[in-house]
């Protein structure tokens, strides 16, 4: 037994050693220096003993070597890699395993431990030993403090106490070291993230940048394996775009088909999935996928969805680990940051590709538009020349007129379609809903397309239901829908074709089918045919003109009527069928038409004001031919001064004039004595409800859209004084 004096001395020495050890640790001395010094201090505190610190690896599955100032490095090295467990690593392993001190008082005669351990001890002169677990944060042992005696005996209480001190100090050193390593790793990861962010801001190559993100995610989470997939919403599939460290078979197997794998599950739930052990995953059991994954040396997987800012799935960032467990919570934090970067990169890449596609579409469209505009212009110019040279050959003049009228009609349709597309895209297209007999819309559409049908010698078969059917819709737009389908049927069918238009009542819907026996549409294009600028043959040399917007207009207009349209074709050369379904309405009897006013052509005093001199002059010529007395003005101010002199009965006013617009001119005319009761008609390119409202407010009697329907205008002039006609008359040429 030690005397109280001896004990007090020992305690004072322990206190001193403790202070020195703590100072050394706090000074930032390397771990090896601290631990070697610790074993030396223990030797001083308990003379006749020697000591060694043995450490475990991170997940405490095996020994990671040790430190000692008493034993050669080969001693602690000989335990490196040994699995921790009672039998294999003697007292130290057992102390770590059990979490409490373990003693062996007679190494030579103890049968409890493995022969390898006993041999190691005896070779190093260890006859008895005491291992104290070094238990760190949350009682997790980071290693064991190994106190060795030269003779076979139990360690005394002081020696046990000293070993405990050694274990405690070991914990402090190791945890300081691990915290520093952790900090270093965090700093490395942050530096890497920052470098990546800087790169991502620049132009860089998409796949190369994705690869860098993937490499960082793999590195930071302690693996070399992984891939990034991109989500294709059309195919509903995940496609691997970059990968690293994965075998060919694995990449080929999951290349397009990740939907059923773990990444697919994470993608479906839009939530990260960590599979700590693929062998434990019920869904994978017995699958080829599992066989391939195991063959690739994978035990754990993490799958993180890549989401756009508005929460859409863009892809997946996946890593694969050789050991069960997967990434640490810290690594997952970095994976989240990298996933954000990858998502932003993908989103940016996709919108850039979209923009490039749009730009290309726009260029193609402009090329096609120029081509389409030029097409009717060439025959018009030719026919003008014919008229100039025909010198009284009435037949030739009439023929030339017909050609020019047809071509002009085509130009007007082209411009109207373009304006409609623009209105639809801006949500500005309004329907004027009324009860429409479908038969009426069909007849008007047929009338509109008759020249095109006749020009190609097509036969048109109409099948109408025995009882008339009706829809609630805009009659002009319904005519436009059917007109577009009939025009296409005429265009895409070789001369002498058969075109059938059938209307039938089918429960709550009216079905209208336009079928032809023409060129047909390839199966793979049927889904896209209604998209803007979509054309089966996009070459400028194709025989049929068009901008590829007719069907898009058909679809949007049908949808605005609450209906749907579908295209069918058995393939190229096998005809096409377009089916429009519209909600059916009760047919209302239309009110009796008002008796038509007499059509005598009474000569009127007409003033035309338009800043486009040709437009004013050509309209004046026509009206003069009808017997009217006409004057023209090329500005608002001139219109006001000429009006004073002419005292017109009718003024035709262009709205968009530079000095004073037509609305203002009209307002002023209405203030003047001669303008109060006359008829003032607006001529304009704008025919929306708002435009008509403005005209009415300014004091106009009618609002006509250019190019003006001449017959309508001359009828108006012969029936003065007229009722207000604020309806926007279309361009019906
Ligand atoms: P456009 O006729 O001006 O090219 P559309 O939007 O009307 O534009 O039609 C788009 C494309 O659909 C056409 O270019 C043509 O390839 C195809 N298409 C439309 N209707 C038919 C039809 N009846 N038969 C064969 N192809 C058609």
């Amino acid at each position: 037994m030690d005397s109280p004096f001896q004990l007090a001395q020992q305690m004072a020495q322990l206190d001193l050693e403790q202070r020195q050890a703590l100072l050394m640790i706090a000074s930032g001395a390397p771990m090896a220096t601290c631990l070697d010094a610790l074993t030396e201090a223990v030797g001083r505190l308990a003379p006749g003993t020697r000591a060694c610190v043995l450490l475990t690896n991170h997940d405490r599955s095996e020994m990671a070597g040790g430190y000692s100032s008493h034993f050669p490095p080969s001693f602690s090295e000989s335990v490196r890699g040994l699995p921790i467990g009672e039998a294999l690593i003697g007292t130290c392993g057992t102390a770590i395993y059990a979490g409490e001190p373990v003693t062996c008082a007679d190494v030579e005669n103890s049968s409890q431990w493995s022969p390898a351990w006993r041999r190691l001890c005896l070779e190093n002169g260890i006859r008895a030993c005491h291992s104290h677990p070094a238990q760190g944060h949350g009682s997790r042992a980071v290693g064991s403090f190994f106190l060795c005696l030269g003779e076979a005996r139990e360690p005394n209480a002081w020696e046990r106490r000293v070993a405990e001190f050694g274990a405690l100090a070991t914990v402090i050193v190791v945890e300081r070291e691990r915290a520093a390593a952790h900090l270093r790793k965090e700093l490395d990861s942050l530096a890497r993230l920052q470098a990546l962010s800087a790169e991502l801001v620049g132009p860089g190559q998409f796949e190369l940048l994705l690869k860098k993100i993937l490499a960082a995610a793999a590195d930071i989470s302690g693996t070399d394996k992984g891939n990034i997939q991109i989500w294709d919403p059309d195919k509903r599939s995940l496609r691997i775009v970059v990968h690293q460290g994965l075998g060919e078979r694995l990449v080929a197997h999951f290349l397009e088909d990740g939907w059923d794998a773990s990444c697919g599950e994470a993608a479906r739930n839009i939530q990260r999935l960590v599979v700590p052990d693929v062998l434990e995953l019920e869904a994978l059991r017995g699958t080829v996928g599992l066989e391939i994954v195991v063959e690739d040396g994978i035990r754990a997987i993490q799958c993180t969805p890549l989401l756009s800012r508005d929460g859409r799935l863009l892809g997946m960032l996946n890593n694969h680990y050789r050991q069960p467990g997967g990434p640490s919570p810290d690594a997952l934090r970095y994976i989240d940051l990298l996933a954000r970067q990858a998502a932003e990169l993908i989103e940016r890449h996709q919108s850039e590709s979209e923009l490039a596609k749009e730009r290309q579409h726009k260029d193609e469209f402009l090329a096609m538009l120029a081509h389409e505009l030029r097409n009717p212009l060439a025959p018009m110019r030719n026919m003008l020349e014919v008229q100039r040279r025909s010198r009284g050959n009435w037949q030739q003049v009439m023929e030339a007129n017909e050609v020019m009228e047809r071509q002009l009609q085509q130009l007007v349709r082209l411009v109207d379609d373009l304006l409609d597309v623009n209105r639809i895209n801006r949500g500005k297209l309004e329907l004027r809903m009324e009860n429409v007999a479908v038969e009426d819309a069909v007849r008007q559409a047929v009338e509109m397309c008759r020249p095109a049908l006749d020009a190609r010698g097509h036969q048109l078969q109409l099948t109408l239901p025995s009882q008339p059917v009706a829809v609630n819709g805009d009659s002009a737009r319904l005519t436009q829908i059917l007109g577009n389908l009939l025009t296409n049927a005429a265009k895409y069918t070789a001369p002498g074709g058969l075109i059938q238009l059938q209307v039938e009542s089918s429960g709550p819907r009216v079905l209208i089918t336009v079928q032809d026996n023409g060129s047909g549409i390839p199966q793979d294009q049927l889904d896209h045919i209604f998209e803007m600028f979509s054309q089966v043959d996009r070459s400028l040399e194709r025989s049929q003109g068009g901008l590829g917007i007719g069907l898009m207009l058909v679809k949007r207009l049908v949808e605005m009527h609450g209906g749907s349209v579908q295209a069918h074709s058995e393939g190229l050369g096998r005809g096409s069928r377009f089916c429009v379904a519209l909600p059916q309405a009760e047919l209302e009897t239309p009110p009796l038409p008002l008796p038509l006013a007499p059509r005598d052509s009474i000569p009127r005093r007409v003033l035309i004001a338009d800043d486009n001199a040709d437009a004013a002059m050509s309209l004046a010529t026509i009206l003069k031919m009808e017997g009217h007395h006409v004057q023209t003005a090329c500005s608002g101010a001139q219109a006001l001064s000429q009006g004073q002199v002419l005292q017109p009965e009718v003024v035709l006013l262009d709205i968009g004039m530079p000095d004073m617009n037509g609305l203002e001119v009209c307002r002023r005319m209405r203030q003047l004595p001669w303008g109060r009761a006359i008829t003032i008609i607006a001529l304009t390119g704008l025919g929306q409800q708002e435009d008509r409202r403005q005209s009415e407010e300014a004091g106009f009697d009618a609002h006509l859209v250019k190019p003006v329907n001449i017959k309508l205008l001359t009828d108006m002039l012969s029936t003065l004084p007229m009722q207000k006609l604020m309806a926007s008359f279309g361009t019906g040429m």
Side-chain angles (χ1 to χ4, degrees):
M1 255 299 264
D2 296 329
S3 69
F5 174 70
Q6 249 181 328
L7 197 62
Q9 250 190 339
Q10 282 174 333
M11 289 306 288
Q13 201 185 346
L14 179 61
D15 192 40
L16 184 72
E17 295 290 358
Q18 261 176 0
R19 235 174 312 140
Q20 275 179 354
L22 285 176
L23 276 173
M24 178 179 265
I25 296 167
S27 75
M31 182 164 83
T33 313
C34 293
L35 293 181
D36 283 352
L38 196 58
T39 55
E40 218 171 295
V42 165
R44 281 196 297 275
L45 284 166
T49 67
R50 288 176 298 163
C52 177
V53 174
L54 292 173
L55 299 180
T56 69
N57 65 352
H58 250 282
D59 61 3
R60 294 197 310 156
S61 57
E62 59 185 38
M63 298 307 291
Y67 301 88
S68 172
S69 57
H70 299 136
F71 295 102
S74 59
F75 174 74
S76 45
E77 272 308 302
S78 58
V79 301
R80 184 185 287 278
L82 285 178
I84 292 170
E86 271 174 279
L88 283 169
I89 186 70
T91 51
C92 282
T94 312
I96 293 167
Y97 191 71
E100 54 190 37
V102 175
T103 302
C104 176
D106 185 356
V107 170
E108 197 162 9
N109 297 310
S110 169
S111 57
Q112 205 179 341
W113 318 108
S114 79
W117 176 82
R118 195 175 317 122
R119 201 175 329 115
L120 181 71
C121 289
L122 293 176
E123 274 169 16
N124 284 281
I126 303 168
R127 293 287 177 272
C129 61
H130 176 74
S131 297
H132 197 105
Q135 269 169 331
H137 186 65
S139 298
R140 284 168 58 93
V142 298
S144 172
F145 196 86
F146 191 41
L147 189 79
C148 309
L149 307 175
E151 71 254 35
R153 67 168 172 84
E154 286 284 339
N156 62 32
W158 175 246
E159 285 161 346
R160 286 171 197 268
R161 178 79 190 267
V162 168
E164 189 184 351
F165 152 67
L168 261 172
T170 300
V171 170
I172 297 173
V173 175
V174 171
E175 291 210 328
R176 185 208 67 178
E177 187 67 13
R178 288 192 179 164
H182 180 74
L183 204 64
R184 267 198 307 277
K185 194 161 181 223
E186 292 260 311
L187 282 175
D188 278 357
S189 306
L190 278 174
R192 194 153 183 186
L193 267 178
Q194 203 239 344
L196 257 177
S197 304
E199 259 193 272
L200 294 177
V201 175
Q205 273 181 352
F206 175 59
E207 288 196 3
L208 197 73
L209 291 172
L210 270 190
K211 268 190 176 155
K212 288 192 178 180
I213 294 177
L214 177 61
D219 255 16
I220 289 173
S221 67
T223 182
D224 61 336
K225 289 173 179 284
N227 65 38
I228 292 182
Q229 298 164 299
I230 288 194
W231 168 241
D232 182 338
D234 291 336
K235 292 194 199 153
R236 297 196 63 73
S237 74
L238 286 165
R239 188 173 49 83
I240 297 178
V241 278
V242 292
H243 57 90
Q244 71 166 52
L246 299 173
E248 265 176 36
R249 187 166 174 225
L250 186 133
V251 174
H253 185 80
F254 293 107
L255 188 64
E256 295 277 354
D257 192 21
W259 199 233
D260 295 329
S262 315
C263 47
E265 189 185 329
R268 276 193 297 278
N269 299 333
I270 308 242
Q271 205 165 37
R272 179 180 14 250
L273 178 70
V274 175
V275 181
D277 191 346
V278 290
L279 299 180
E280 302 285 314
L281 201 63
E282 200 54 51
L284 275 184
R285 203 151 287 167
T287 61
V288 186
L290 178 63
E291 180 198 311
I292 295 174
V293 164
V294 172
E295 179 189 281
D296 219 80
I298 294 166
R299 280 297 292 274
I301 305 178
Q302 82 74 23
C303 311
T304 302
L306 306 176
L307 303 179
S308 68
R309 293 215 168 260
D310 58 0
R312 269 177 311 112
L313 179 70
L314 297 170
M316 297 294 301
L317 167 60
N318 310 307
N319 289 108
H320 312 77
Y321 305 85
R322 291 195 163 80
Q323 306 295 337
S328 67
D330 277 343
L332 286 177
R333 271 192 303 119
Y334 281 103
I335 286 178
D336 278 340
L337 291 173
L338 289 163
R340 188 68 258 129
Q341 289 188 327
E344 265 168 27
L345 181 64
I346 294 173
E347 209 173 4
R348 197 179 74 197
H349 176 72
Q350 286 179 344
S351 62
E352 277 170 5
S353 313
E354 203 58 41
L355 265 180
K357 225 190 283 170
E358 261 174 38
R359 231 174 283 135
Q360 189 191 346
H361 256 142
K362 202 181 79 193
D363 291 348
E364 281 174 13
F365 174 73
L366 286 177
M368 199 161 301
L369 181 61
H371 184 259
E372 289 305 313
L373 290 174
R374 196 165 282 265
N375 266 349
L377 291 180
M380 281 168 83
R381 179 185 272 175
N382 293 346
M383 288 302 128
L384 274 176
E385 192 59 29
V386 169
Q387 276 189 345
R388 207 166 59 81
R389 296 181 188 200
S390 57
R391 289 173 222 259
N393 184 337
W394 189 240
Q395 179 69 21
Q396 262 181 356
V397 172
M398 288 308 285
E399 278 170 13
N401 269 349
E402 271 172 33
V403 171
M404 288 202 291
E405 218 170 294
R406 250 200 322 274
Q407 298 302 324
L408 187 61
Q409 173 81 38
Q410 197 171 324
L411 266 180
V412 170
R413 252 198 76 191
L414 213 65
V415 175
D416 279 352
D417 276 0
L418 280 173
L419 285 174
D420 281 348
V421 168
N422 185 265
R423 281 182 200 126
I424 284 184
N425 286 344
R426 291 186 302 136
K428 292 264 182 201
L429 193 119
E430 299 150 6
L431 294 183
R432 264 179 285 146
M433 301 299 267
E434 56 183 332
N435 188 264
V436 182
V438 175
E439 196 177 322
D440 289 348
V442 168
R443 292 205 188 286
Q444 278 168 31
V446 170
E447 204 174 297
M448 188 173 102
C449 301
R450 183 55 74 190
L453 292 164
D454 290 349
R456 290 172 73 81
H458 293 314
Q459 185 194 344
L460 176 69
Q461 269 179 11
L462 273 186
T463 312
L464 299 170
S466 49
Q467 295 295 318
V469 287
V471 295
N472 279 331
D474 181 323
S475 114
R477 296 304 182 182
L478 290 169
T479 304
Q480 187 180 1
I481 292 168
L482 300 178
N484 278 4
L485 294 178
L486 278 175
T487 308
N488 277 351
K491 257 168 49 173
Y492 299 108
T493 301
L498 175 65
I499 294 165
Q500 292 161 303
L501 194 159
Q502 185 180 7
V503 180
E504 57 188 315
S505 162
S506 166
R509 297 179 311 163
V510 177
L511 299 182
I512 309 168
T513 314
V514 178
Q515 180 159 8
D516 61 56
N517 59 351
S519 66
I521 301 164
Q523 290 286 321
D524 62 338
Q525 305 235 10
L526 282 174
D527 284 345
H528 305 291
I529 210 80
F530 293 100
E531 287 166 14
M532 180 110 159
F533 309 139
S534 166
Q535 294 183 312
V536 174
D537 177 2
R538 290 194 62 78
S539 61
L540 285 180
E541 296 72 34
R542 69 206 197 294
S543 52
Q544 303 303 332
L547 290 171
I549 53 180
L551 284 184
M552 179 256 187
L553 277 178
V554 165
K555 183 165 191 283
R556 302 286 281 269
L557 288 173
V558 167
E559 284 169 356
M560 285 173 79
H561 280 85
S564 62
V565 56
Q566 281 184 322
H568 307 269
S569 174
E570 299 291 313
L572 274 183
R574 305 184 61 182
S576 311
R577 197 171 79 249
F578 287 83
C579 300
V580 176
L582 294 167
Q584 187 160 179
E586 209 50 45
L587 180 66
E588 290 165 15
T589 333
L592 285 176
L594 292 172
L596 279 179
R599 288 263 203 104
D600 298 345
S601 181
I602 307 162
R604 307 283 185 194
R605 286 186 311 281
V606 182
L607 174 63
I608 302 173
D610 196 324
D611 60 322
N612 180 334
D614 283 350
M617 186 274 285
S618 56
L619 187 58
T621 309
I622 296 171
L623 296 184
K624 279 179 191 164
M625 286 164 128
E626 289 281 313
H628 301 292
H629 176 69
V630 190
Q631 280 190 13
T632 58
C634 59
S635 70
Q638 206 184 359
L640 285 168
S641 59
Q642 260 178 255
Q644 184 71 36
V645 180
L646 180 67
Q647 301 276 313
E649 292 160 89
V650 181
V651 178
L652 301 173
L653 266 183
D654 176 30
I655 300 254
M657 288 185 291
D659 66 330
M660 189 191 300
N661 76 29
L663 296 172
E664 183 55 30
V665 178
C666 180
R667 262 183 229 113
R668 293 200 189 184
M669 280 182 179
R670 289 302 186 202
Q671 306 292 319
L672 298 167
W674 58 266
R676 219 161 277 151
I678 61 171
T679 299
I680 310 183
I681 299 173
L683 297 184
T684 165
L686 308 170
Q688 291 294 285
Q689 189 128 27
E690 177 57 21
D691 307 316
R692 272 180 270 128
R693 195 192 56 72
Q694 285 185 0
S695 299
E696 186 166 17
E697 214 172 71
F700 280 101
D701 295 299
H703 182 107
L704 301 187
V705 178
K706 289 178 183 178
V708 173
N709 182 326
I710 298 297
K711 184 165 169 304
L712 181 75
L713 180 62
T714 49
D715 279 357
M716 276 180 174
L717 295 185
S718 60
T719 54
L720 287 181
M722 54 181 272
Q723 286 176 324
K724 273 211 173 216
L725 264 180
M726 294 322 294
S728 171
F729 288 96
T731 49
M733 292 286 297

